[in-house]
Amino acid sequence: MTQASSCQGSNAAVQTIELKRPTPHPKADNWSLDEIAALFDLPFNDLLFQAQLVHREHFDASRVQLSTLLSVKTGGCSEDCGYCSQSAHHEKETGLEREKLMTAEDVIDAAKIAKENGSSRFCMGAAWRGPKNKDLDEVKRMIAGVKALGLETCATFGMLKDGQAEELRDAGLDYYNHNLDTSPEKYGEIVTTHSYDDRLDTLGKVRKAGLSVCSGGIVGLGETRNDRVGLIAQLANLDPQPDSVPINNLVQIEGTPLEGKEAVDWTEFVRTIAVARITMPKSFVRLSAGRQQMDESMQALCFLAGANSIFYGDKLLTTGNPDVTRDRALFAKLDIQPL
Ligand code: SAM
Ligand code: DTB
Ligand code: SF4
């Protein structure tokens, strides 16, 4: 238990706020839904204060990791994820043009630019249910080429079959991104072509191959607070916890089933970041999609809540991201250094 006194004006009664501090050894992998819900319920300032305390035990609070994303195969995906611009199920409505798998050379050229701009990790995304064996050779060449530039490599290619994670690892892959996206209860309303267990199964294969796990979710799908609690519980109770936890704010895409969902209040997004930080103290928490729609002060609050990674570069997969000049200016104002 630690105590913090409130700011005292001359007439103000002295108030003491009791802060339950889940340190020095926060439970790494045994968070109950009630404990997580109680964190979400904390007064906003207390939650952010706790998140900062936890954050500073494991990280320099003024350093943020930079990852650059590239869509190496765009559109035409067989899956029906309701938020996604790349699903074939809603391509008539979204009008997104399909693009075939990029060549390794073109991907490596893009990675060189990301490196020059200061990124430390390059994430390659493909609109696949999972990689087909016929695509693996080209994908392995791109991974090896990006790794040879001295960048960390990350891939998000969908569900993996036995042996594929090992093949990607042997090509030079460091991280595999595969999000749980929401609670198990909500998932079936968002996606019907694969299940939550399929997602967990791939995460298990990734971990078994010795790859670093990147797994997070989306806020703003029309989910309840309980769904956000359920998502964080799933992520925090993965054993071991994910190395990297992207928290995306839904980017509403015209023509997708989730277009027009009521946006979640900014405080709830910041709370989700803070709860992720407290429950996964050693993970990088990435302030992911949706930054282009956020003002600088909201992003600053997300960093205060414990976010310490971003996507850097003017594009995510199919949608925009703040350009590098804007992010450099924000970092300068906040005295943040790239990791
Ligand atoms: N097909 C692969 C998969 O599903 O894992 C990889 C690509 S998929 C686009 C990666 C993640 O991006 C999704 O799991 C989701 O969390 C996020 N994402 C996709 N579209 C988004 C959107 N419109 N807004 C916010 N996040 C989104
Ligand atoms: C993640 O959690 N977010 C990224 C990355 N992992 C692959 C993707 C965001 C996509 C946003 C919508 C788009 O650009 O299509
Ligand atoms: Fe989009 Fe990935 Fe779902 Fe395909 S599997 S529709 S690329 S989120």
Side-chain angles (χ1 to χ4, degrees):
M1 277 296 189
T2 56
Q3 292 196 332
S5 297
S6 70
C7 184
Q8 299 158 37
S10 53
N11 298 324
V14 178
Q15 280 185 317
T16 302
I17 303 166
E18 291 274 320
L19 289 174
K20 183 166 165 266
R21 191 179 163 204
T23 51
H25 298 297
K27 281 182 281 181
D29 57 1
N30 187 22
W31 285 91
S32 72
L33 292 171
D34 284 347
E35 286 173 312
I36 294 170
L39 289 173
F40 268 100
D41 280 342
L42 280 174
F44 188 77
N45 286 345
D46 293 350
L47 176 60
L48 259 64
F49 182 63
Q50 282 212 37
Q52 260 293 306
L53 288 174
V54 173
H55 190 40
R56 283 166 184 270
E57 281 187 22
H58 300 288
F59 295 101
D60 177 336
S62 293
R63 301 204 74 177
V64 168
Q65 188 274 331
L66 307 180
S67 291
T68 296
L69 257 180
L70 178 69
S71 179
V72 302
K73 188 268 168 187
T74 303
C77 182
S78 64
E79 304 308 283
D80 68 353
C81 311
Y83 49 79
C84 186
S85 62
Q86 306 201 66
S87 165
H89 295 256
H90 20 272
E91 72 186 353
K92 270 204 214 91
E93 291 79 14
T94 61
L96 187 85
E97 297 280 334
R98 296 183 181 193
E99 288 167 35
K100 59 181 191 347
L101 183 62
M102 288 174 70
T103 63
E105 287 68 27
D106 287 348
V107 173
I108 294 161
D109 285 347
K112 280 182 192 154
I113 297 170
K115 187 175 179 191
E116 282 161 19
N117 280 332
S119 251
S120 61
R121 190 176 309 156
F122 194 71
C123 305
M124 293 154 269
W128 285 326
R129 176 178 166 86
K132 300 219 162 61
N133 282 337
K134 70 172 172 56
D135 294 317
L136 269 187
D137 281 346
E138 196 64 12
V139 154
K140 288 195 284 187
R141 283 207 314 124
M142 58 184 78
I143 291 169
V146 173
K147 180 83 177 167
L149 299 176
L151 284 163
E152 288 180 321
T153 53
C154 176
T156 181
F157 297 155
M159 292 184 278
L160 297 178
K161 295 193 189 68
D162 282 343
Q164 288 185 328
E166 287 77 5
E167 280 197 64
L168 296 173
R169 177 201 63 201
D170 293 346
L173 192 67
D174 298 309
Y175 286 79
Y176 197 80
N177 165 250
H178 200 66
N179 291 341
L180 292 176
D181 279 330
T182 189
S183 66
E185 294 77 21
K186 181 77 181 170
Y187 199 71
E189 288 176 34
I190 306 293
V191 186
T192 68
T193 47
H194 57 256
S195 68
Y196 213 76
D197 280 347
D198 290 331
R199 302 297 282 184
L200 290 168
D201 178 65
T202 289
L203 287 175
K205 289 186 165 97
V206 167
R207 188 58 92 185
K208 193 163 142 268
L211 290 166
S212 295
V213 169
C214 173
S215 189
I218 314 185
V219 172
L221 301 171
E223 79 284 357
T224 61
R225 162 73 71 84
N226 276 344
D227 291 316
R228 290 185 283 279
V229 168
L231 166 69
I232 299 287
Q234 287 290 328
L235 295 168
N237 291 329
L238 288 175
D239 185 18
Q241 295 189 324
D243 304 276
S244 168
V245 180
I247 304 291
N248 297 277
N249 206 9
L250 178 71
V251 180
Q252 296 207 358
I253 315 262
E254 221 181 301
T256 56
L258 295 187
E259 183 196 1
K261 283 278 168 210
E262 194 182 338
V264 162
D265 190 73
W266 62 270
T267 53
E268 188 65 13
F269 185 82
V270 177
R271 280 179 191 279
T272 308
I273 298 259
V275 175
R277 163 51 62 227
I278 293 167
T279 54
M280 291 172 274
K282 294 185 182 168
S283 308
F284 278 84
V285 175
R286 183 174 305 129
L287 169 55
S288 301
R291 276 199 314 116
Q292 200 172 36
Q293 291 74 25
M294 288 174 202
D295 59 22
E296 288 189 337
S297 47
M298 178 168 170
Q299 294 182 60
L301 273 175
C302 290
F303 295 131
L304 195 65
N308 62 347
S309 171
I310 58 167
F311 286 122
Y312 184 65
D314 59 7
K315 205 164 173 200
L316 292 168
L317 293 173
T318 64
T319 66
N321 197 44
D323 64 38
V324 163
T325 327
R326 206 174 124 192
D327 277 341
R328 284 189 183 141
L330 174 61
F331 277 25
K333 285 187 202 183
L334 302 177
D335 306 302
I336 285 176
Q337 308 292 325
L339 254 178

